[in-house]
Amino acid sequence: GENVEQHPSTLSVQEGDSAVIKCTYSDSASNYFPWYKQELGKRPQLIIDIRSNVGEKKDQRIAVTLNKTAKHFSLHITETQPEDSAVYFCAAHPGNAGGTSYGKLTFGQGTILTVHP
Amino acid sequence: DTEVTQTPKHLVMGMTNKKSLKCEQHMGHRAMYWYKQKAKKPPELMFVYSYEKLSINESVPSRFSPECPNSSLLNLHLHALQPEDSALYLCASSSNRGFYEQYFGPGTRLTVT
């Protein structure tokens, strides 16, 4: 089955700096890669995603890049703000999404991001 | 409206109790999910329903029993739980039409005493 590794496990930055979180996946057939932000006591919130036919996607201060050859994808947050402090999870969805695997996201272990004012 | 709702927010139950968690979405999504999340860990998939039929059971113990009465509702029936089952239980939904985006509910914080 799929295996997703996420690094670093913790990341501390100063407000205004950039933050980068990296994930690698094992199944070359995976074709959808979402990123979730989870604040303390809250639900995981989908913040950005990318499909395997795209190399980069950007939404305001956040961007995701995908390297299919190396099987890794990264989350980039620019101009970080204290409200970006949260746990971030990457995930991968299988490409063979027939009835037996549709929806079966494999999550990374999470990165605790702290943005200091 | 990208909202999934869950009740109750908190639940404390003894090991001999029977209780149910409820989840509802009105986005027209046809896939619904139950996840278990322990502190500082990623969500762990338990069950997937697609068009009201159970499509994935991740070898979950039978003390957890899912039910999908209709396309908007998802229940998780709990019976004879163990203290290690204490966790945040999250419901999610997605459109199941080639789009994989999953939207999570706020969760039910379950404590088993």
Side-chain angles (χ1 to χ4, degrees):
Chain A
E2 175 68 278
N3 182 51
V4 177
E5 294 192 0
Q6 184 173 345
H7 298 282
S9 56
T10 60
L11 181 58
S12 183
V13 300
Q14 288 296 127
E15 182 176 1
D17 287 350
S18 294
V20 181
I21 303 170
K22 298 181 179 180
C23 289
T24 59
Y25 59 99
S26 60
D27 185 355
S28 57
S30 291
N31 67 353
Y32 172 69
F33 307 92
W35 285 89
Y36 285 88
K37 173 185 179 183
Q38 188 173 26
E39 297 176 66
L40 191 63
K42 301 283 185 67
R43 73 186 79 191
Q45 178 189 2
L46 178 64
I47 56 171
I48 197 167
D49 55 15
I50 193 167
R51 295 179 184 272
S52 59
N53 59 347
V54 175
E56 183 174 0
K57 184 177 178 181
K58 190 173 182 180
D59 183 3
Q60 299 183 347
R61 294 186 299 108
I62 61 173
V64 57
T65 58
L66 171 65
N67 183 325
K68 285 192 297 181
T69 303
K71 291 188 285 187
H72 68 69
F73 57 111
S74 299
L75 177 70
H76 305 254
I77 306 174
T78 59
E79 302 173 20
T80 55
Q81 301 167 2
E83 50 265 39
D84 294 328
S85 297
V87 181
Y88 290 81
F89 293 103
C90 65
H93 187 280
N96 180 17
T100 57
S101 61
Y102 178 87
K104 194 167 180 176
L105 286 177
T106 300
F107 284 86
Q109 289 301 302
T111 296
I112 302 172
L113 174 63
T114 304
V115 181
H116 299 282
Chain B
D1 182 13
T2 55
E3 186 162 343
V4 177
T5 59
Q6 291 186 242
T7 56
K9 289 184 179 180
H10 302 277
L11 179 63
V12 179
M13 59 185 292
M15 290 189 285
T16 58
N17 291 158
K18 287 185 180 181
K19 296 286 184 182
S20 296
L21 309 184
K22 297 184 183 301
C23 174
E24 190 168 4
Q25 57 88 13
H26 294 289
M27 296 178 279
H29 288 173
R30 301 308 296 271
M32 296 185 76
Y33 311 79
W34 280 116
Y35 286 87
K36 173 183 178 180
Q37 187 178 28
K38 290 280 200 178
K40 299 183 180 179
K41 295 292 186 182
E44 180 183 336
L45 184 65
M46 299 174 71
F47 303 104
V48 180
Y49 272 83
S50 179
Y51 293 95
E52 295 98 68
K53 293 185 178 179
L54 184 65
S55 61
I56 296 177
N57 176 343
E58 292 287 87
S59 302
V60 179
S62 60
R63 58 185 184 269
F64 296 91
S65 176
E67 178 195 21
C68 189
N70 60 55
S71 60
S72 300
L73 293 174
L74 187 65
N75 299 322
L76 186 62
H77 304 296
L78 314 172
H79 173 56
L81 295 192
Q82 304 297 311
E84 58 265 29
D85 296 322
S86 298
L88 180 67
Y89 288 84
L90 293 160
C91 174
S93 71
S94 66
S95 74
N96 199 17
R97 293 196 203 110
F99 299 99
Y100 307 139
E101 295 90 338
Q102 293 186 24
Y103 297 95
F104 284 87
T108 294
R109 176 73 61 187
L110 174 67
T111 303
V112 182
T113 61

